Amino acid sequence: MGTIFANIMAIYRRELQSYFASPFAYLIAGVFWLLSGFFFMAILLDGQQGLIAQAALRDQLGITTPPIDVAYQFLNFFLGVLGSLSLFVLPMLSMGLYSEERKRGTLELLATSPITNWVVALGKLLGVVTFFVSMVLPLLIYESIALGAADPPIRLGVMVIGHVGLILMAAAILSLGMFISSLTDSTILAAILTFALILLLWVIDLVATSIGGPVGDAITHLSLIRNYNNLIQGILDVSSLVLFISYIVLGVFLTAQSIEALRFQRS
Amino acid sequence: MIEAEHLSKIYGTTPAIEDVTFSVEKGEILGFLGPNGAGKTTTMRILTGYLPATSGTARIAEFDVHEHSMTVRKQIGYLPETPPLYPDMTVEGFLHFVGRIKGMAAGDRPSRVESAMTRCNLISKRNVLIRKLSKGFRQRVGIAQAIVHDPPAIILDEPTVGLDPRQIIDVRNLIKSLAGDHTIILSTHILPEVSMTCSRVAIINRGKIVATNTPEQLLAQIAEGSGYELEIEGNIAGLQKRLQELVGVQTVEVMSSQAVVQRRHRLRVTTQSGFDPGRQIAAIVVGSGLGLYEMRRLQASLEDVFLDLTTEEKIADSSEENSQDSDELRSEDSVETSQDTQDINNNYPASPADAQSSEPGEVA
């Protein structure tokens, strides 16, 4: 058990270190911060469309019902935007996880070391999720500044569940992206395929409604956006958590299997 | 220590290796020699457990590489064809990482990493990113990662490829210094490498082991069948025919262009294996009233052994391709040609050229 943990940590540290050593990762983080900062300002402070402006307008017009919780509304919108932004960012983070190893031949080192495939996959996933968390952390600072000024104050639970939802959804996407990355030597191809897959999972409830019936109903539950929306509204929906965790486990499992299968292919 | 028994690997319908059997004793260095594409890498990958064999078993330290994969992986250090390096890590950081995933005790790691770097002359580059290292240094980091956890068995796939002559010597000395405590298999297509570093050689061609022996014995095997080079003064018109009639003489070749002095000729006499008619040759030359100025035995090199063993196969194969006749004729064909290897070498320049082109790297 101790060695398994040590192995996971070894892979995790290497993976994380490679993100922090990569200019490309900083570029992605920079763009993510820029865009999220822009949306933050737009949602909250925009002259006409901003939440504060709209609330002020309602007050001026004397509309008091239904009451509007600006802080809650804002968090909801902002996390929604972050979710959509992540759609574009996450494939770029996961694309190199295995395809780079395959290309560099380092997979041969991992495959001939006393370390199991799922340990490698788990370590890598933890590494990339940690990097994503480090991308989200700075946002928390200005979120808390803005929300700290809210009166009545926002419930801490809503904030925690919303952000945990964001991280879990990201982890689910990264896990599936890792699997796709393990299928190919080409990082670009991995990114494109991952993007296509999560786009499909993102909007799959639209597909499901057009199918209808019990099958459609079942497919609806696979939708990322649907479950994500549950969480960012502050609803602690266990089924959503279970779904994201299932995606994560599935991704790790499939990755380990695909790396194992790679040995039996022509190399 | 390392055993391969009847290993075969078939990709689809093409066999990469067939019935490969050999064993390496503890402390030995086995050279795995063969032309490119002969199946060296496949064999090594099977030994490390990276690829499963289609049939046959491989054992390292008595453990089956497939069934006890994790145990075996702790016992081996492996340098694949392309050194498995992370370009964004420093040399020292990378070796620590390898130490960790090889399951080394945390307490041993700093000293082991230090000693691996010392052995591979990497101390000066310890804090340099691998991305910035030259090919030679990368290769050394590759070797360092194979030895950092002090494995009993070391498997090196073409460890000297892409190095300059100076570095090749360093790497060879390093490998030699590892013998004794470690059991080593190294693959190469460079012949002198084997005679310089290895205690035993396995020659593989087209997926089959064609010979396993010590380098010396392999040489001895064909030394007697090599021949002589003569320098003769006088009219050699009749001599050639008389030499040709001698028992054991295969070919007599006049290399007149190499005549040093006028009226002196150089002859090359090749002999069949098992015959050594040096005495008779000298007697005939002198008996004919000609001047014998030089008589030198042709030294067989490992290269000759190699060509001897590997071209035979090629010929058998190409005769198969060419001959549209019955099976009987075909087998006759290949027997005939294999006796005539020396001649055939000239007709099939592909591999001699290969071997020669590898030589410039060998000049020290």
Side-chain angles (χ1 to χ4, degrees):
Chain A
M1 198 59 210
T3 54
I4 288 176
F5 180 72
N7 285 337
I8 292 176
M9 285 312 289
I11 299 288
Y12 169 77
R13 284 174 60 170
R14 201 213 68 72
E15 200 60 43
L16 201 57
Q17 186 241 334
S18 83
Y19 279 109
F20 285 110
S22 150
F24 183 65
Y26 284 109
L27 186 71
I28 293 174
V31 172
F32 180 75
W33 287 328
L34 187 73
L35 287 176
S36 57
F38 168 76
F39 281 112
F40 180 90
M41 297 300 283
I43 293 169
L44 196 60
L45 300 173
D46 187 88
Q48 277 109 43
Q49 304 291 313
L51 275 171
I52 289 176
Q54 284 191 11
L57 189 66
R58 275 168 60 112
D59 276 354
Q60 279 173 6
L61 296 174
I63 308 170
T64 47
T65 49
I68 178 169
D69 184 345
V70 173
Y72 176 76
Q73 286 278 334
F74 162 73
L75 189 66
N76 209 332
F77 276 149
F78 186 58
L79 283 173
V81 166
L82 285 188
S84 314
L85 269 182
S86 310
L87 274 194
F88 298 92
V89 168
L90 295 172
M92 288 191 267
L93 292 183
S94 70
M95 65 183 181
L97 281 173
Y98 272 93
S99 57
E100 283 289 327
E101 304 257 3
R102 288 181 60 154
K103 209 160 50 182
R104 284 192 301 243
T106 42
L107 200 58
E108 208 162 340
L109 168 66
L110 297 177
T112 54
S113 296
I115 179 167
T116 50
N117 288 334
W118 70 266
V119 163
V120 177
L122 194 59
K124 280 178 167 292
L125 182 63
L126 286 175
V128 66
V129 168
T130 307
F131 183 75
F132 182 74
V133 169
S134 72
M135 279 168 64
V136 171
L137 280 179
L139 311 188
L140 279 176
I141 298 170
Y142 56 76
E143 273 176 45
S144 28
I145 292 171
L147 296 173
D151 185 29
I154 193 158
R155 290 213 333 272
L156 190 65
V158 174
M159 222 176 141
V160 170
I161 293 169
H163 285 92
V164 166
L166 178 66
I167 302 298
L168 269 182
M169 185 198 61
I173 292 173
L174 290 170
S175 184
L176 295 173
M178 175 170 74
F179 165 59
I180 289 173
S181 170
S182 75
L183 298 175
T184 170
D185 293 356
S186 156
T187 40
I188 297 299
L189 187 63
I192 293 170
L193 288 178
T194 307
F195 184 65
L197 176 74
I198 60 175
L199 207 59
L200 179 71
L201 288 175
W202 193 250
V203 298
I204 205 165
D205 57 339
L206 295 181
V207 183
T209 25
S210 68
I211 295 174
V215 180
D217 203 39
I219 295 176
T220 318
H221 291 289
L222 298 177
S223 161
L224 287 173
I225 194 167
R226 203 183 141 98
N227 290 287
Y228 180 54
N229 280 340
N230 273 343
L231 293 173
I232 60 176
Q233 280 163 14
I235 305 166
L236 187 61
D237 186 342
V238 177
S239 74
S240 301
L241 296 180
V242 169
L243 180 91
F244 286 144
I245 291 168
S246 307
Y247 274 134
I248 295 170
V249 173
L250 181 73
V252 171
F253 173 77
L254 287 178
T255 307
Q257 292 304 309
S258 100
I259 294 303
E260 185 62 30
L262 203 60
R263 294 185 190 198
F264 293 90
Q265 289 169 6
R266 182 173 194 140
S267 40
Chain B
M1 182 71 200
I2 302 173
E3 287 161 90
E5 277 174 25
H6 309 293
L7 285 180
S8 294
K9 174 76 185 172
I10 296 163
Y11 290 123
T13 53
T14 357
I17 56 168
E18 283 175 87
D19 200 29
V20 167
T21 302
F22 61 88
S23 70
V24 194
E25 299 302 317
K26 195 175 179 341
E28 254 188 342
I29 305 183
L30 175 81
F32 214 57
L33 185 64
N36 293 328
K40 300 186 298 269
T41 298
T42 304
T43 311
M44 304 207 135
R45 284 182 163 176
I46 291 172
L47 288 176
T48 57
Y50 182 66
L51 280 180
T54 311
S55 65
T57 52
R59 278 192 298 275
I60 287 181
E62 307 295 317
F63 293 106
D64 186 292
V65 294
H66 202 64
E67 277 165 37
H68 301 98
S69 181
M70 285 299 155
T71 320
V72 167
R73 292 183 197 185
K74 281 182 195 153
Q75 309 282 325
I76 54 167
Y78 173 40
L79 171 68
E81 223 172 347
T82 28
L85 308 172
Y86 292 100
D88 49 19
M89 294 181 105
T90 62
V91 172
E92 193 174 10
F94 173 68
L95 292 177
H96 271 284
F97 167 70
V98 175
R100 277 193 202 101
I101 63 167
K102 297 286 180 186
M104 258 166 75
D108 299 345
R109 225 188 306 122
S111 63
R112 287 294 318 163
V113 167
E114 200 68 28
S115 95
M117 284 193 296
T118 315
R119 285 196 116 149
C120 299
N121 272 328
L122 286 165
I123 293 289
S124 60
K125 302 281 180 188
R126 64 193 304 162
N127 293 320
V128 178
L129 289 179
I130 290 172
R131 177 158 33 98
K132 295 187 176 153
L133 292 180
S134 66
K135 170 90 181 143
F137 273 109
R138 284 180 197 206
Q139 194 72 25
R140 281 196 240 173
V141 179
I143 295 172
Q145 66 79 30
I147 62 171
V148 69
H149 52 302
D150 202 17
I154 300 174
I155 295 173
L156 307 168
D157 199 349
E158 309 219 335
T160 56
V161 130
L163 302 183
D164 67 38
R166 175 80 232 155
Q167 294 167 330
I168 289 179
I169 293 168
D170 287 349
V171 166
R172 278 185 197 150
N173 289 337
L174 169 67
I175 293 171
K176 271 196 254 182
S177 76
L178 292 169
D181 305 337
H182 307 265
T183 309
I184 302 170
I185 295 188
L186 70 91
S187 82
T188 178
H189 60 273
I190 301 163
L191 294 137
E193 190 151 295
V194 170
S195 45
M196 277 178 231
T197 46
C198 302
S199 47
R200 265 184 343 121
V201 191
I203 297 182
I204 185 170
N205 189 43
R206 302 206 147 209
K208 290 181 186 138
I209 298 267
V210 287
T212 320
N213 220 323
T214 61
E216 294 77 26
Q217 271 171 320
L218 274 179
L219 284 177
Q221 205 172 305
I222 68 149
E224 56 205 34
S226 49
Y228 293 92
E229 204 170 292
L230 311 170
E231 191 178 320
I232 291 164
E233 194 178 66
N235 184 4
I236 58 161
L239 180 70
Q240 203 175 343
K241 193 164 173 286
R242 288 190 16 228
L243 285 176
Q244 191 80 67
E245 282 162 358
L246 261 179
V247 180
V249 170
Q250 206 165 40
T251 59
V252 181
E253 209 184 324
V254 184
M255 302 179 292
S256 45
S257 59
Q258 286 182 22
V260 196
V261 189
Q262 241 185 349
R263 282 182 46 79
R264 282 193 191 170
H265 305 273
R266 292 195 80 85
L267 262 76
R268 185 194 286 260
V269 181
T270 61
T271 55
Q272 288 167 18
S273 59
F275 292 94
D276 197 358
R279 222 183 136 97
Q280 290 91 324
I281 292 172
I284 288 176
V285 173
V286 178
S288 314
L290 300 168
L292 179 58
Y293 281 83
E294 188 187 329
M295 180 163 174
R296 183 166 61 86
R297 173 176 244 142
L298 290 175
Q299 281 294 325
S301 67
L302 255 189
E303 216 146 298
D304 296 323
V305 184
F306 183 66
L307 291 178
D308 199 54
L309 289 163
T310 56
T311 40
E312 219 169 291
E313 289 278 322
K314 271 190 190 167
I315 286 135
D317 265 33
S318 58
S319 72
E320 253 175 61
E321 278 159 29
N322 296 338
S323 97
Q324 306 287 327
D325 306 295
S326 70
D327 274 3
E328 227 176 284
L329 266 177
R330 194 188 301 167
S331 60
E332 239 175 64
D333 213 348
S334 56
V335 169
E336 222 174 281
T337 42
S338 60
Q339 280 177 348
D340 239 329
T341 351
Q342 287 285 22
D343 263 4
I344 271 108
N345 286 350
N346 302 334
N347 298 342
Y348 292 85
S351 51
D354 255 12
Q356 274 161 14
S357 70
S358 68
E359 251 190 330
E362 292 312 302
V363 184

